[in-house]
Amino acid sequence: MHENIRDLLPAECFSRGTLWIGGQWCCAADAGSFAVTSPIDDRHLMVASRAQATDADRAVRAAKSVATSWAGDSGKRSALMLRIGEEIRKHAQELGTIETVDSGRPISETTTDSVQHAAGLFDYYAGLTDKLHGSTVPMGNDTTALIEREPFGVIGAISAWNYPLLNAATKIAPILACGNTIVLKPAEQSPLVTLLLAALMQQAGLPDGVVNILTGFGPEAGAPLITHPMVSKVSFTGSMETGRRVAAAAGEALKGVILELGGKSPLVVFDDADLPRAASAAVFSTFKNAGQTCTSCARVLVARPLIEQFVTLCSAIAADLRVGDPSDPETQIGPLISAEQLARVRRLIAGVDARHVCEKRYRPVPGGHFFPPMIVTKYAFDSDFARQEIFGPIMAVRPFDTDEEAWQLANETEYGLAASVWTSSLHRAERARRLIECGIVWINCAHTLSAGTPIGGHKASGLGIEHGVEAAEQYMKVKTSVLMSGGWHSPFGMRSAST
Ligand code: NAI
Ligand code: MG
């Protein structure tokens, strides 16, 4: 399957370079490059251009030069975005294949969920282009304030390596709908699917320069976007550590920043829960994409009397999961993204009493960054393992004795991205909604999302929102005009023209 990469991406990516600036494929000004590899077997996939500040500057200027014309016609934007959604659906197989090879997400999900979700975002925001209108404020007899929303101009976007197609669509769709243009830097670990997306957008009729893609590394290609004077706002998805740096640079430049960061999300199972469903949710949430999901609810809190039964159920479900080559449609769990990520997960789990739960069907590919899915029931609650985001397939199960303790443990983290709560009590569901400090609470479900459902981190999980009308609102600025028809009177008085 790896051989196909050349057939799946535009030929110019190989002959000219992988920077997409002003509708043209080109290489970095200094001709720098880096190798893109597959997490499945560490195989070399292609050479990508390594953008630097001068390339970021070129991309921003290209985006700026078309910003006014792009902002002009919301109807055209809407029609174009619908066509992009169609192109994405038409090329599900190609997009899915690239995303699987480059990021390790199983092909059974990339050709279905990734593609449908990405296309759905373009559809949703296509419908919003003419609905992001303003309002009026009556200010007295002959005076009205018009409150309008206008695009910022150029948005600089930087994204994470997991779910790369969805991540790209999550940034591009609302940014375009609001009439902005964009320079997007996908993560260096999985940039390839964004290149095909660029080609499909062009095929759909996207004007040159409206979307620009910079392949490369954060400090070289991402950081210059944040400080560039023509970039009016920054949208970032990634780790908390990098998020802090991005926010500091944006703060120095007095720019707004949207941050979608990590999590350490709880899944809470009360004694009145539908236990088989709760267990299947815990397994799915923890092991989905090999645990590399920002909203993974792998910190599982269970009512003490149920804990043994719950772990037995989880282990039985996990035992049937196939871990291995994600290009195989039978596989549910693929590799971790990189050797660094594998080393990090190994470091966090060192010394913890963890049980491998997928032994029966564990088939790692030689050279790949595979880690066996595990369940942990005994660990030190103040350890790095207990506190840090793991981003690997490890479920940590911890008992609680009272409802109060459940809420307290759920919130015992600096993060606040998501939570999944399992109960048949309306009272507990209500309390979960009110008491858990996070951006999205799933009650008797998990990872249930749509393009219209806003999600954004509370606490150290971020600033701002993705998806929904709320995401679009962040990409427009408010302009107020005050119109007076009856004649303005200065408090200092005035003279008539004849005196
Ligand atoms: P990362 O923070 O290492 O990298 C994210 C992006 O930032 C990459 O494109 C990288 O090149 C860039 N970058 C690195 N240093 C930079 C700098 N100094 N200036 C500008 N850009 C820089 O994150 P990683 O490891 O790629 O992604 C995993 C993290 O992303 C996890 O913490 C995960 O929870 C989070 N994430 C959050 C999501 C959300 O919606 N809340 C969704 C997906 C991932
Ligand atoms: Mg890769």
Side-chain angles (χ1 to χ4, degrees):
M1 171 161 140
H2 298 74
E3 284 71 26
N4 298 346
I5 277 290
R6 214 169 240 283
D7 305 332
L8 295 173
L9 289 172
E12 294 96 325
C13 289
F14 296 88
S15 58
R16 296 202 195 150
T18 59
L19 310 187
W20 196 53
I21 299 177
Q24 301 289 328
W25 294 102
C26 59
C27 63
D30 69 358
S33 64
F34 66 103
V36 180
T37 56
S38 173
I40 303 173
D41 51 9
D42 211 24
R43 186 186 300 204
H44 175 89
L45 293 175
M46 80 180 285
V47 173
S49 305
R50 182 167 177 162
Q52 305 289 337
T54 49
D55 307 301
D57 179 58
R58 262 197 301 151
V60 171
R61 286 177 192 280
K64 182 75 180 172
S65 69
V66 295
T68 308
S69 61
W70 175 248
D73 188 337
S74 63
K76 265 195 195 152
R77 291 205 298 276
S78 176
L80 176 86
M81 290 176 66
L82 288 174
R83 285 200 300 276
I84 295 175
E86 278 168 30
E87 287 295 323
I88 291 174
R89 287 195 183 87
K90 258 197 269 170
H91 294 86
Q93 205 57 41
E94 295 93 317
L95 288 162
T97 302
I98 294 180
E99 183 169 80
T100 293
V101 165
D102 198 16
S103 83
R105 186 178 192 198
I107 192 87
S108 59
E109 297 177 16
T110 54
T111 51
T112 55
D113 184 73
S114 294
V115 163
Q116 281 155 17
H117 205 146
L121 280 161
F122 281 95
D123 294 350
Y124 176 84
Y125 286 105
L128 264 193
T129 58
D130 57 354
K131 295 173 190 70
L132 297 161
H133 43 65
S135 57
T136 60
V137 178
M139 292 178 70
N141 287 339
D142 55 6
T143 309
T144 302
L146 303 180
I147 317 301
E148 293 172 283
R149 293 181 192 189
E150 50 183 45
F152 276 96
V154 182
I155 308 287
I158 299 168
S159 64
W161 52 261
N162 57 337
Y163 304 100
L165 179 61
L166 181 57
N167 249 312
T170 297
K171 301 282 185 224
I172 295 170
I175 287 171
L176 294 194
C178 297
N180 301 287
T181 60
I182 172 174
V183 180
L184 169 67
K185 193 203 83 64
E188 59 274 22
Q189 295 91 340
S190 58
L192 301 189
V193 74
T194 309
L195 306 181
L196 179 54
L197 177 63
L200 296 178
M201 289 191 291
Q202 192 166 44
Q203 221 157 289
L206 184 77
D208 293 348
V210 170
V211 178
N212 305 274
I213 311 286
L214 294 175
T215 50
F217 293 80
E220 297 167 2
L225 287 181
I226 304 165
T227 50
H228 197 293
M230 287 178 187
V231 171
S232 307
K233 190 154 191 174
V234 175
S235 179
F236 172 83
T237 299
S239 63
M240 179 172 68
E241 295 73 24
T242 313
R244 270 190 224 287
R245 242 172 275 143
V246 169
E252 187 62 35
L254 292 178
K255 265 173 217 182
V257 61
I258 296 161
L259 302 173
E260 294 297 335
L261 310 178
K264 186 76 180 173
S265 301
L267 185 142
V268 188
V269 185
F270 284 101
D271 57 8
D272 58 359
D274 178 336
L275 209 59
R277 282 214 167 83
S280 67
V283 170
F284 177 69
S285 187
T286 304
F287 299 149
K288 170 182 157 60
N289 201 31
Q292 304 161 110
T293 303
C294 56
T295 47
S296 165
C297 301
R299 200 161 59 83
V300 180
L301 307 170
V302 185
R304 194 181 295 275
L306 299 184
I307 213 158
E308 207 170 301
Q309 203 188 343
F310 179 83
V311 171
T312 305
L313 275 173
C314 288
S315 305
I317 299 165
D320 288 334
L321 298 177
R322 186 191 155 113
V323 187
D325 186 347
S327 321
D328 183 333
E330 297 279 296
T331 296
Q332 280 111 354
I333 304 175
L336 299 181
I337 188 69
S338 62
E340 294 75 35
Q341 186 59 21
L342 182 60
R344 182 168 186 277
V345 174
R346 284 194 179 134
R347 178 177 64 72
L348 286 169
I349 195 85
V352 176
D353 180 17
R355 203 159 46 80
H356 181 176
V357 285
C358 296
E359 259 162 341
K360 207 168 76 189
R361 305 185 73 199
Y362 185 63
R363 308 268 182 284
V365 181
H369 313 303
F370 289 84
F371 186 86
M374 292 184 171
I375 297 183
V376 173
T377 50
K378 285 193 206 90
Y379 59 99
F381 301 140
D382 57 355
S383 58
D384 283 352
F385 170 77
R387 295 187 175 281
Q388 289 185 14
E389 180 181 44
I390 295 173
F391 240 51
I394 307 175
M395 185 191 300
V397 185
R398 178 174 181 176
F400 65 83
D401 290 301
T402 63
D403 285 23
E404 293 320 309
E405 189 187 6
W407 310 129
Q408 184 228 317
L409 294 179
N411 287 331
E412 207 176 79
T413 167
E414 61 187 317
Y415 289 108
L417 193 51
S420 172
V421 178
W422 293 82
T423 178
S424 53
S425 147
L426 182 59
H427 177 65
R428 279 173 169 156
E430 265 304 303
R431 296 198 79 202
R433 259 183 356 94
R434 277 186 283 114
L435 297 180
I436 301 184
E437 300 158 355
C438 66
I440 187 163
V441 183
W442 285 298
I443 294 170
N444 295 330
C445 57
H447 302 280
T448 315
L449 288 171
S450 75
T453 311
I455 174 165
H458 292 191
K459 295 158 74 181
S461 288
L463 283 175
I465 299 286
E466 289 195 310
H467 299 185
V469 180
E470 290 79 358
E473 282 168 349
Q474 308 166 118
Y475 292 117
M476 306 197 91
K477 53 190 174 185
V478 170
K479 161 85 66 72
T480 300
S481 315
V482 180
L483 274 74
M484 187 181 280
S485 58
W488 185 68
H489 294 280
S490 167
F492 288 178
M494 60 184 275
R495 295 277 172 87
S496 68
S498 56
T499 55

